[in-house]
Amino acid sequence: MKNVAVLQFPGTNCDLDTKYAFEKLGCNTTVIWHKETELPEGTDLVVVPGGFSYGDYLRSGAIAKFSPIMETVIAYANNGGKVLGICNGFQILTEVGLLPGALKRNIGLHFISKFQTLKVVNNSNEFLQKCNKDEVLNIPIAHADGNYYIDEDGYKKLEANEQILVRYCDEHGEPIVVNGSVTSIAGICNSTKNVFGLMPHPERALEDILGSTDGVKMLEGLIA
């Protein structure tokens, strides 16, 4: 049984959803308050879930990065530990420098909440190892600051190292503009492929009654 630690900040609202998701997949899951300084012994995966940490004041994730637990998460990741950031968690991981680039306000300046099709760009990583390259997944999105930006040199590195995970697309897999992200990027990983971030919410796509089960194969890759 894999041990999953789910972080919780003031304003986090997807922590219990994420805990439920990994428990449903057979994991021992613990919610960790942001003022803690240690992760449970034997942690196999750290998840930084979605929500509005510190009310998104200043900038999404900009205050959460100073929480005590993040120093521990940075050390854990730098030692090869697996970390997944979902939505606000993705924003936090860019703020602390575990992932390159930044998340800006959506191009339309509106909060977007809907199911969205995504194209799997690279599956040469643990997160998407159970997905097929070019597969189209149906995963909910819910964000106001999901416009992913990276400069040209950074983008070239993402491409060369197969760090682009998923792109927003139509039902046929063709890229579309959803929030203004560079080349429709919806998720990336770091160069060593142990830190992953995406704006869509796979933890909300685990049961047919919710509209999709495509999130199962995404999350299962991290606990295989």
Side-chain angles (χ1 to χ4, degrees), residues 68-91:
I69 194 61
M70 290 312 300
E71 288 189 22
T72 305
V73 172
I74 291 169
Y76 175 82
N78 289 338
N79 197 38
K82 290 185 290 187
V83 180
L84 171 65
I86 302 171
C87 200
N88 187 227
F90 184 13
Q91 296 160 343

Side-chain angles (χ1 to χ4, degrees), residues 134-148:
D134 297 329
E135 182 176 359
V136 176
L137 306 172
N138 189 29
I139 306 289
I141 58 174
H143 58 253
D145 300 275
N147 182 352
Y148 181 74

Side-chain angles (χ1 to χ4, degrees), residues 150-224:
I150 193 166
D151 63 24
E152 186 175 351
D153 287 342
Y155 178 77
K156 288 178 180 178
K157 291 177 182 177
L158 291 182
E159 282 273 28
N161 200 38
E162 297 187 338
Q163 290 174 244
I164 300 173
L165 301 177
V166 286
R167 283 191 170 100
Y168 302 110
C169 69
D170 62 20
E171 60 183 1
H172 305 294
E174 296 299 319
I176 60 173
V177 176
V178 171
N179 53 26
S181 291
V182 170
T183 67
S184 301
I185 290 174
I188 63 168
C189 64
N190 65 343
S191 59
T192 51
K193 301 183 181 179
N194 66 302
V195 179
F196 310 89
L198 75 166
M199 291 308 297
H201 287 266
E203 81 282 7
R204 298 182 184 178
L206 268 69
E207 298 172 316
D208 286 323
I209 194 172
L210 298 178
S212 173
T213 59
D214 288 348
V216 173
K217 63 180 70 176
M218 299 181 84
L219 298 183
E220 278 186 336
L222 289 175
I223 57 174

Side-chain angles (χ1 to χ4, degrees), residues 23-35:
E23 286 179 341
K24 182 178 175 64
L25 296 177
C27 298
N28 175 40
T29 308
T30 306
V31 175
I32 306 298
W33 183 236
H34 74 115
K35 289 190 176 181

